[in-house]
Amino acid sequence: MSSSKDIVLDLNRPLSHFHFSSSHKDSTGQLLQIRAIERIDDLIRSIQKEASAAYNPQEMNECNGEYHSGNFHPTRSNNTIFVDGDRGAGKTTFLRAYLDRFRTNSPIDLKQVHPIPLIDPTLISTHQHFLVDIIASIVKEVNKKSNCCLDEIKYSEFKKNLEEMAGGLKLLKDSDNQKQYDAAWFLNKAISSSTRGQSLEVCFHKVIDSALTILGKEIILIAIDDVDTKTTKANEVLETIRCYLTHPRMIIMLSGDFALYSHIVRKNKEDELGETNFESKKDKVGVEKRGRLVETLQLQYLSKVLPIEQRVQLEKLDSLSKEYNIKIKHSRLADFPELVDDLDEDVIDLKKLIKTMFSQSLYINNRHQDSHLSFIFSQPVRTILQTLKSMIEWEKVGGNESQQFHSTAFKQTLYNNYLGCYPLRI
């Protein structure tokens, strides 16, 4: 019987499901990134406990979402959990898997968390502000709940809170040509806009409160994916998190490559500072001073929007393989009994599989295989699994029937993985 330390990756399935694994044949499955899952669970528990102890929505309702005497502010929290990983580390699949747990086997103490379906801002082409996309996702969840068990009073309150946000939301993308109006009209509009803008965050908090009441939950969880692949959208999303997604009972899970985020923020801060405030590029002192200021702004901005203590790193297979016995499952492996485990006819140890591939396809001596194994394990998870699946499913044409892996297959698989050019003419 398989050990509890076994992780079996089923490559019979599409790679979009590779995050699911099984420690036993009758298991419902577990996740590849086990430590990351446990870390996020702990963070959510901590946030939920803090929100329950410190946040009282009734106090906010009594203020009617207004700024009284200039000293009322909504309770602000930064509950952003950043899921860090290189390109191809499996961040999208990880987020989908984590959200799926709430429909299947989430921990009992997280039952009061309501997840919103995964949001990818780069796939949204409506050209509206990202905050509007967030609100639209929440409204959709509320409508689904209201359709099955409608409470007119609660739903009317929710709609009322949405309407109060309308003026502030319009300001986010206001493109009116204001030069055509006189100064008095412009002043009145400016005062009105300022009031709406200041109260936008408060109104949004009221929307979240009423949404949670309808959903019957304590926490709303919003997962955002692939923002760092589109730099213009990344800045907008980060600013939305900083300015508006501050409700104590709202948790944001944001995935991406932290190095890319750092580059995006640094470029943005350079543009904001400009070069007019510094000496010319010939003045090395001025250039170095500007560089230090940009670096300080970049680091402080990222530590504020993406708190260091709430960052979760996805592990690569090289580190996972040191703690778990990672195995590959595929129906075609059953044709080669000399490779598979004794008890599982279509399962093979990951390291054994990769070494066999190198040995058969490249005729590499066993003494030299460890260095090749280290190189493969250091690659993104997606690259490794694409390589394995392609090699296993390669259609043999002639050749040695006792040999599973061929140099032609290995050559084309690596070519397609690293150059993305298909087909390769050999």
Side-chain angles (χ1 to χ4, degrees):
M1 182 176 291
S2 298
S3 166
S4 60
K5 283 285 188 177
D6 286 353
I7 292 180
V8 181
L9 303 178
D10 189 352
L11 294 191
N12 291 299
R13 310 167 70 180
L15 288 184
S16 59
H17 298 286
F18 81 83
H19 53 270
F20 284 113
S21 62
S22 174
S23 57
H24 299 91
K25 285 186 176 182
D26 58 349
S27 173
T28 57
Q30 60 185 24
L31 292 169
L32 177 61
Q33 299 286 351
I34 298 173
R35 272 193 290 267
I37 288 292
E38 294 173 347
R39 172 64 177 150
I40 293 175
D41 284 349
D42 289 341
L43 286 172
I44 292 179
R45 291 187 184 101
S46 176
I47 293 170
Q48 185 175 356
K49 181 179 179 181
E50 180 67 22
S52 299
Y55 178 69
N56 182 5
Q58 183 62 31
E59 293 179 359
M60 181 177 173
N61 292 336
E62 292 173 355
C63 294
N64 295 319
E66 299 177 358
Y67 287 73
H68 296 288
S69 303
N71 60 8
F72 171 69
H73 297 277
T75 303
R76 307 183 88 248
S77 301
N78 187 347
N79 296 332
T80 304
I81 299 174
F82 182 65
V83 179
D84 184 20
D86 299 334
R87 305 307 303 171
K91 298 183 293 295
T92 300
T93 310
F94 175 81
L95 290 183
R96 292 187 183 279
Y98 191 85
L99 297 179
D100 285 344
R101 289 172 72 237
F102 288 94
R103 296 184 303 182
T104 54
N105 58 348
S106 64
I108 297 297
D109 57 348
L110 297 183
K111 295 295 184 182
Q112 286 301 309
V113 177
H114 185 92
I116 299 295
L118 184 63
I119 300 174
D120 185 345
T122 64
L123 300 179
I124 301 173
S125 56
T126 54
H127 305 293
Q128 60 193 9
H129 195 275
F130 180 60
L131 182 59
V132 179
D133 298 325
I134 293 287
I135 295 170
S137 297
I138 295 172
V139 169
K140 186 176 181 180
E141 292 299 298
V142 169
N143 287 339
K144 286 194 299 185
K145 182 71 172 181
S146 299
N147 289 337
C148 64
C149 45
L150 181 63
D151 186 319
E152 289 288 354
I153 297 177
K154 293 179 180 179
Y155 190 70
S156 296
E157 182 68 18
F158 177 72
K159 297 292 287 185
K160 177 186 174 183
N161 291 334
L162 278 177
E163 291 171 1
E164 289 180 0
M165 288 191 65
L169 288 174
K170 184 177 181 296
L171 296 176
L172 297 175
K173 288 291 185 180
D174 196 351
S175 59
D176 289 342
N177 184 7
Q178 298 169 342
K179 294 182 179 180
Q180 59 181 306
Y181 304 107
D182 59 37
W185 181 93
F186 182 82
L187 177 60
N188 289 331
K189 180 177 175 60
I191 293 174
S192 176
S193 297
S194 177
T195 303
R196 290 175 178 178
Q198 290 175 357
S199 62
L200 177 57
E201 182 185 8
V202 180
C203 292
F204 181 63
H205 280 214
K206 293 175 68 177
V207 168
I208 298 301
D209 285 332
S210 56
L212 286 171
T213 300
I214 293 174
L215 295 171
K217 301 291 185 178
E218 295 180 0
I219 297 290
I220 193 165
L221 174 63
I222 299 177
I224 308 170
D225 186 38
D226 268 347
V227 182
D228 54 344
T229 60
K230 193 172 184 180
T231 56
T232 54
K233 203 66 177 179
N235 287 324
E236 182 178 291
V237 170
L238 291 175
E239 277 297 281
T240 301
I241 291 174
R242 185 180 72 87
C243 298
Y244 304 113
L245 305 185
T246 58
H247 194 288
R249 295 185 183 276
M250 170 181 281
I251 298 176
I252 305 298
M253 281 180 62
L254 180 68
S255 72
D257 184 344
F258 190 77
L260 276 177
Y261 273 106
S262 297
H263 178 77
I264 291 169
V265 171
R266 184 180 184 88
K267 179 64 169 61
N268 189 47
K269 296 307 175 186
E270 287 176 345
D271 293 342
E272 288 178 358
L273 285 176
E275 296 187 6
T276 57
N277 299 328
F278 299 91
E279 300 296 331
S280 65
K281 292 184 178 181
K282 294 182 180 180
D283 183 355
K284 292 184 179 179
V285 176
V287 172
E288 290 178 359
K289 179 181 178 181
R290 181 176 187 272
R292 289 195 298 271
L293 285 174
V294 169
E295 183 176 359
T296 300
L297 285 172
Q298 168 198 339
L299 293 174
Q300 292 304 315
Y301 182 87
L302 285 171
S303 63
K304 182 176 184 178
V305 180
L306 307 176
I308 297 174
E309 69 276 12
Q310 292 173 190
R311 297 176 190 173
V312 178
Q313 179 75 42
L314 296 187
E315 298 178 83
K316 291 186 176 180
L317 285 182
D318 56 352
S319 60
L320 289 171
S321 64
K322 296 174 183 177
E323 183 171 352
Y324 302 98
N325 303 316
I326 302 178
K327 300 185 178 183
I328 298 297
K329 177 183 178 69
H330 198 286
S331 58
R332 289 199 177 187
L333 293 175
D335 297 334
F336 299 88
E338 70 278 4
L339 300 179
V340 299
D341 289 357
D342 294 336
L343 299 178
D344 298 303
E345 60 180 13
D346 56 354
V347 174
I348 182 174
D349 179 79
L350 176 61
K351 293 180 180 180
K352 181 179 180 181
L353 176 61
I354 294 177
K355 287 183 177 181
T356 303
M357 285 182 177
F358 275 109
S359 176
Q360 291 190 5
S361 60
L362 302 181
Y363 303 102
I364 295 176
N365 191 291
N366 292 339
R367 293 176 300 175
H368 304 145
Q369 287 183 356
D370 287 341
S371 60
H372 293 80
L373 186 65
S374 298
F375 168 75
I376 290 294
F377 269 25
S378 66
Q379 302 305 302
V381 174
R382 180 167 58 201
T383 299
I384 298 173
L385 296 181
Q386 284 178 344
T387 299
L388 296 178
K389 189 171 176 67
S390 297
M391 290 291 290
I392 293 172
E393 296 178 354
W394 181 266
E395 293 293 340
K396 294 188 296 181
V397 179
N400 186 351
E401 289 299 323
S402 64
Q403 181 176 324
Q404 169 70 7
F405 308 110
H406 295 260
S407 58
T408 300
F410 199 63
K411 179 180 178 181
Q412 182 154 353
T413 299
L414 291 179
Y415 189 93
N416 292 336
N417 252 322
Y418 292 100
L419 296 182
C421 180
Y422 187 84
L424 171 65
R425 299 190 180 185
I426 303 174

